Amino acid sequence: MEYNKIVENIIDSVRPLQGQGKQADYIPALANVNPDQMGICIETIGGAAYTYEKADTRFSIQSISKVFALAMAFSIEGEGLWERMGREPSGTAFNSLVQLEIEQGKPRNPFINAGAIVMTDILCERLKDPEGFFLQFVRNMSGSNTINYNHAVAESEREQGYLNAAIINLLKYHGNIKGDIERVLRFYFLMCSVEMSCRELAHAFLPFADHTKPFDYTDVYLTRSQVKRINAIMQTCGFYDEAGDFSYLVGLPGKSGVGGGIAAVFPSLYSVAVWSPRLNAKGNSVIGMKMLELLTTATQQSIF
Ligand code: GLU
C-alpha cells in the first residue's frame, strides 16, 4: 500500500479545515496548547512506521488512556469486570450523570468517565502501586521509557473536576467504588494526563491490531479473545456519543480523547494515531476524524 502518497494527499485535503472546532478548555492547562497543529502516524503489522507533520510532538492523551486501563482491568478481573459496568454504547455525553443515576451506578461502558473511574478503583484496589504500574505498562507498549504523567495537567483538571467528582460520588453512593474517592480520582486524572506522540500511540496500539503475537506486557496478559473484545468495545463505544458516526465514516475500532488525539486499529494490518486539538461539538478532533475518514476511503480497505 502506498501510504506515503495517500497520507500526503490527506494532509493537503484537511489543511483547509484548520481553524474549525475548538480545543478543550474545561481542563485549563489544555487551553495553552497551540490548537492549529496536526500529526499522524501509521504503523503496519510488519513494524514500518509512516509519520507526517507533528507525529513526534507529545500531547495529552486524556481518554485514550481508558484503553490501557481496560487492558489492565480486563486482564485482572476477566469477565468479572462486567459485574461492575456494561459494554453498551452510551448515546450520551462521556461525562453524563443522568444515565448513571437512572442505571443506579452501573456505568454503561468502560470508556465513559464513570466506567473508567470504576476501572481506576479496581486498579487501586488490586495493585500496590497503580500509578507506577500503569506508567510502566504504557511505556512498555509504546517502547518509549520517557513517557510520563503531566502533573500540572492532572492538577489543573482536579481543581475544576466538579463533574467527575459528582460522578464518583454517585458511584460510591451506589456501592460501585470500594476505595477512597479522593485517592481514586487522583489516579484517574493522572492517567488522563499522560503525554504521548502519534508515533508512540500508534506503536502502543499495534498489539490490538496484531493477533499473531501474544499480548503480554508488564504482567498484563490478554488472550486473543480478550483483545478481540477490547476492539469490539472500541468500535461501539470509543467515540462518546459519536461512535455510530465514527463507525459509519471511518469504520475502525478506536478511541479518542479531548486532547485531540485518536488511536485506531485495522486488525491484521495497521494501527494509526492522529492528533489535532480542535474538537467538534461531540468532543472528537475535527481534523483527526477527517484524516481517518479519508484514510479508510482512499485505501479502500475495510474491516466490514
Ligand atoms: N480527563 C477528561 C475528563 O474526565 C477525559 C475526557 C476525554 O478525553 O474524553 O473529562
Side-chain angles (χ1 to χ4, degrees):
M1 184 60 66
E2 286 287 320
Y3 289 117
N4 278 324
K5 189 89 223 100
I6 289 173
V7 179
E8 278 160 21
N9 287 339
I10 289 174
I11 288 172
D12 288 343
S13 313
V14 299
R15 254 188 236 292
L17 299 181
Q18 263 182 345
Q20 281 188 24
K22 197 171 160 301
Q23 81 209 88
D25 56 4
Y26 74 99
I27 302 172
L30 292 186
N32 301 329
V33 179
N34 168 7
D36 294 311
Q37 309 183 72
M38 65 172 105
I40 175 167
C41 175
I42 300 171
E43 185 168 338
T44 63
I45 293 294
Y50 301 83
T51 55
Y52 308 86
E53 299 278 313
K54 301 268 173 72
D56 286 307
T57 302
R58 286 184 175 156
F59 56 90
S60 199
I61 67 168
Q62 293 297 321
S63 280
I64 301 174
S65 64
K66 292 168 183 169
V67 179
F68 301 122
L70 176 59
M72 287 172 67
F74 202 20
S75 96
I76 293 172
E77 298 287 308
E79 289 296 305
L81 185 63
W82 311 122
E83 283 161 27
R84 307 264 309 258
M85 66 194 68
R87 39 184 197 245
E88 289 293 341
S90 68
T92 57
F94 61 95
N95 51 11
S96 165
L97 274 171
V98 177
Q99 194 169 56
L100 193 61
E101 183 177 18
I102 294 170
E103 297 180 357
Q104 304 198 320
K106 187 171 180 184
R108 266 291 170 99
N109 66 62
F111 292 158
I112 53 171
N113 285 13
I117 290 170
V118 170
M119 291 195 296
T120 312
D121 180 53
I122 291 170
L123 299 180
C124 284
E125 195 191 349
R126 299 292 218 103
L127 301 169
K128 235 196 275 140
D129 172 21
E131 284 85 356
F133 197 106
F134 182 83
L135 193 57
Q136 198 51 52
F137 174 55
V138 174
R139 286 177 172 178
N140 284 5
M141 287 207 69
S142 59
S144 176
N145 258 329
T146 58
I147 288 172
N148 224 324
Y149 297 119
N150 182 326
H151 291 272
V153 169
E155 185 55 26
S156 149
E157 182 168 13
R158 197 194 63 81
E159 279 169 13
Q160 299 294 320
Y162 305 112
L163 206 45
N164 284 317
I167 289 173
I168 198 168
N169 274 284
L170 196 52
L171 288 164
K172 184 83 177 171
Y173 171 80
H174 285 289
N176 204 0
I177 292 289
K178 315 282 181 220
D180 173 67
I181 59 174
E182 287 302 327
R183 198 265 170 271
V184 173
L185 262 191
R186 205 170 53 236
F187 178 33
Y188 171 75
F189 293 138
L190 214 48
M191 215 162 72
C192 293
S193 80
V194 166
E195 293 182 333
M196 294 171 77
S197 65
C198 289
R199 187 196 293 267
E200 290 164 338
L201 263 178
H203 193 66
F205 268 65
L206 199 61
F208 295 104
D210 187 353
H211 301 306
T212 63
K213 299 196 187 86
F215 190 109
D216 186 3
Y217 297 87
T218 326
D219 293 332
V220 178
Y221 177 76
L222 295 172
T223 64
R224 251 185 229 185
S225 157
Q226 286 176 313
V227 171
K228 179 185 73 183
R229 289 185 164 144
I230 290 178
N231 285 349
I233 297 171
M234 284 200 263
Q235 181 81 42
T236 52
C237 310
F239 296 87
Y240 316 120
D241 52 338
E242 203 171 23
D245 255 356
F246 189 84
S247 234
Y248 180 84
L249 296 170
V250 178
L252 297 178
K255 182 74 200 87
S256 57
V258 295
I262 302 177
V265 295
F266 193 121
S268 304
L269 267 190
Y270 62 77
S271 58
V272 54
V274 293
W275 168 62
S276 191
R278 289 187 189 270
L279 310 178
N280 65 19
K282 297 282 172 76
N284 293 310
S285 168
V286 173
I287 286 187
M289 273 195 57
K290 197 60 175 180
M291 285 199 279
L292 293 175
E293 179 191 341
L294 294 174
L295 176 68
T296 51
T297 305
T299 53
Q300 299 191 337
Q301 292 164 324
S302 166
I303 67 169
F304 297 112

